[in-house]
DNA sequence: TAGATTGTTAATCGATTAACAATC
DNA sequence: TAGATTGTTAATCGATTAACAATC
């Protein structure tokens, strides 16, 4: 069977479905129809059914979708049922903030190491995790089966570090550095370009003001 | 003249153009063709020309685009030529990290206030800016012409705070809380849902591994 | 059985790419 | 002038929405 390719648009929507279903589950809602969900989430019922059907039939005619089942299934699709070992590269403000953000662990993303080039930080612990020198990073990844590297370093350092990560076979990079990384296709990259996001907001303010005046 | 609506897809690409043009400018490149830019940025030349033409003709036949001019024009479209006053609501790890991230000021986003509910933080200064109690937020916004509020608070507090912001006429919310805010259309919202981003990365790892095995 | 709601096909809409005349 | 490259129209592709038969 040829697996049909899932579009980026669908993938981008999955975490949002997951979040709403989690909330419904917590509220004790047992079943939900695409129409009801569409009302809550502000999307069309048609889109919801199309999206879910990319992964097979999760619903039942005349009944709707079982919330708990659907939640679990989407979790599996997102790979949230597995745990991931991750390291934080760059123990600056953002790196420390992410390390301190507990909620990722709840989803199975375990921070196993933090690395920095600044010797003053070596040995400092953040949420019980020691900051290590960059030189140890490659060996650490190999020895601890790290799948994900979080890049919270300046753009000037990002290229060098990403090459090192690729060399030791990292599976994925969560990139907060403001550059587009060039990595081979077996390495997954998700960019979080905060300044791009802020500029989009600036654009929206600008556009609204010049449009309404 | 009826202004044609610019699609979200185009807007999302603008900051990336801006970044690449800034780099070309810094390298001293004077002019660039859509074809050359397409090679560098990994998009089609056709898309580049279509995108730019949404805002009027920035180029010249037979010549291409003047890098400096194009950079400035896209900056104007993004509203980067104006300064914005912003406050950070929630002085936790993420709030502090963003406050310390200098680069936003370079783009004209000036942090004028930081607010928190935790009395222990009152008076503490982050990059020279005092943390103030939440009760003072509304007056502060009015008195200091704050346009943007950065929400780095838990989702449980986000609804209440967003209502307060709307009441005093905030223009835009940069939302890091993991909820979809409901605000009137004159308030612009840009979401940064970090856990959604991490889940997409998890999905990509998952899909790659099951696809290749 | 009758009503409800899915899964899925068909229709529409919008975004991307291709092509080329206009023009620097 | 000849060559290059835009601005723009037309063609293609993909994603969203509508519709409805299948079925619980």
């Amino acid at each position: 069977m040829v697996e049909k390719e899932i579009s980026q648009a669908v993938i981008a929507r999955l975490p949002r479905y997951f979040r709403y279903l989690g909330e419904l589950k917590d509220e004790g809602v047992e079943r939900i129809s695409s129409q009801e969900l569409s009302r809550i989430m502000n999307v069309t019922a048609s889109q919801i059914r199309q999206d879910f059907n990319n992964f097979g039939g999760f619903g039942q005619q005349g009944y709707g979708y079982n919330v708990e089942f659907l939640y679990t299934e989407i979790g599996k699709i997102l790979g949230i049922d597995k745990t991931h070992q991750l390291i934080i590269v760059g123990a600056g403000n953002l790196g420390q903030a992410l390390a301190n953000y507990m909620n990722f662990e709840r989803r199975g993303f375990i921070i196993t190491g933090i690395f920095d080039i600044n010797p003053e930080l070596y040995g400092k612990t953040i949420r019980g995790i020691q900051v290590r020198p960059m030189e140890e990073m490659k060996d650490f990844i190999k020895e601890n089966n790290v799948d994900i590297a979080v890049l919270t370093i300046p753009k000037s350092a990002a290229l060098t570090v990403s090459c090192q990560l690729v060399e030791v076979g990292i599976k994925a990079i969560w990139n907060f550095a403001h550059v587009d990384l060039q990595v081979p296709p077996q390495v997954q990259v998700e960019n979080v370009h905060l300044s791009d996001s802020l500029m989009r907001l600036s654009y929206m303010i600008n556009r609204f003001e010049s449009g309404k005046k």
Side-chain angles (χ1 to χ4, degrees), chain A:
Chain A
M1 184 184 99
V2 181
E3 253 177 69
K4 57 173 168 264
E5 196 58 45
I6 311 294
S7 82
Q8 285 298 316
V10 175
I11 297 164
R13 285 192 289 268
L14 286 179
R16 190 157 178 265
Y17 288 128
F18 190 67
R19 176 153 49 91
Y20 276 87
L21 288 164
E23 281 164 16
L24 287 166
K25 187 172 76 86
D26 291 345
E27 288 164 18
V29 178
E30 234 177 55
R31 69 189 192 87
I32 194 156
S33 67
S34 57
Q35 191 174 100
E36 179 71 359
L37 191 58
S38 89
R39 213 181 42 72
I40 300 173
M41 292 186 64
N42 253 308
V43 294
T44 65
S46 214
Q47 182 165 77
I48 290 172
R49 295 203 298 277
Q50 289 275 23
D51 282 353
F52 292 169
N53 264 74
N54 279 297
F55 306 97
F58 293 148
Q60 196 169 66
Q61 281 103 326
Y63 172 87
Y65 299 89
N66 178 289
V67 171
E68 177 125 31
F69 175 73
L70 188 55
Y71 176 79
T72 311
E73 288 303 310
I74 294 181
K76 281 188 206 163
I77 293 164
L78 288 169
I80 305 297
D81 55 329
K82 307 189 181 76
T83 62
H84 296 279
Q85 309 297 316
L86 62 82
I87 58 167
I88 291 176
V89 187
N93 290 297
L94 186 55
Q96 291 192 29
L98 293 174
N100 277 303
Y101 192 59
M102 302 254 310
N103 282 4
F104 299 140
E105 313 237 314
R106 266 194 23 230
R107 295 270 177 249
F109 298 95
I110 318 287
I111 302 172
T112 51
I114 304 176
F115 297 87
D116 205 284
I117 36 158
N118 183 353
E120 283 176 30
L121 294 171
Y122 299 167
K124 183 184 172 182
T125 60
I126 299 165
R127 273 188 72 218
I129 303 149
Q130 226 187 12
V131 178
R132 294 185 160 82
M134 281 297 293
E135 293 76 40
E136 297 178 12
M137 184 185 75
K138 288 173 74 171
D139 287 337
F140 187 92
I141 291 172
K142 282 187 265 184
E143 284 159 21
N144 294 275
N145 292 304
V146 175
D147 335 87
I148 302 175
V150 184
L151 279 202
T152 47
I153 53 179
K155 62 193 290 189
S156 53
L159 183 69
T160 315
V161 173
S162 71
C163 287
Q164 294 178 320
L165 293 167
V166 168
E167 274 174 45
V168 289
I170 199 86
K171 285 181 188 167
I173 298 174
W174 200 21
N175 178 38
F176 287 77
H178 203 208
V179 278
D180 298 317
L181 302 177
Q182 288 301 123
V183 299
Q186 73 272 18
V187 180
Q188 314 303 315
V189 175
E190 168 84 10
N191 292 306
V192 181
H193 290 335
L194 292 179
S195 51
D196 286 13
S197 173
L198 190 51
M199 285 188 203
R200 280 193 288 275
L201 190 61
S202 169
Y203 170 86
M204 290 188 280
I205 296 171
N206 205 25
R207 173 133 276 252
F208 181 81
E209 297 199 327
S210 51
K212 298 283 144 161
K213 227 185 273 155

